[in-house]
Amino acid sequence: HDETRGNGAVLAEWRTPARTLHLTNPHGVPFRVALINATAHGAARVHGEPTAAHSWFDGYAWQVVSCGTCGRQHLGWHFTPTDGGGRGASPFDALIVDTVV
């Protein structure tokens, strides 16, 4: 299943089955996120160095993901395995549902 933005550009290829989680950051701000395999090339920008601090997923570091067009709209986070992440670990994105849908 692909998710598109208002201009019809494909933003993401959803994981199958799509998995939605309710998470809260260390400041108490809640987020509903959808886990996806990858954000479409050009649809998003990844910012900063990966950090494992306060990661919602053990064994993964995160970076902020923003809109690939304006660069300002926070879309979610990109997660990469730390130290190889173990067998079968792969990068994924957690997109804020209320922002991208």
Side-chain angles (χ1 to χ4, degrees), residues 1-5 9-15 34-46 63-69 73 75-79 91-96 100:
H1 170 258
D2 291 338
E3 183 61 44
T4 59
R5 295 188 300 190
V10 174
L11 176 62
E13 176 187 324
W14 299 104
R15 283 184 170 212
L35 304 184
I36 63 166
N37 292 326
T39 304
H41 178 73
R45 297 179 189 172
V46 176
Q63 295 166 274
V64 170
V65 174
S66 67
C67 174
T69 302
Q73 179 68 44
L75 300 179
W77 301 267
H78 177 70
F79 289 89
F92 64 93
D93 292 339
L95 299 183
I96 303 166
V100 299

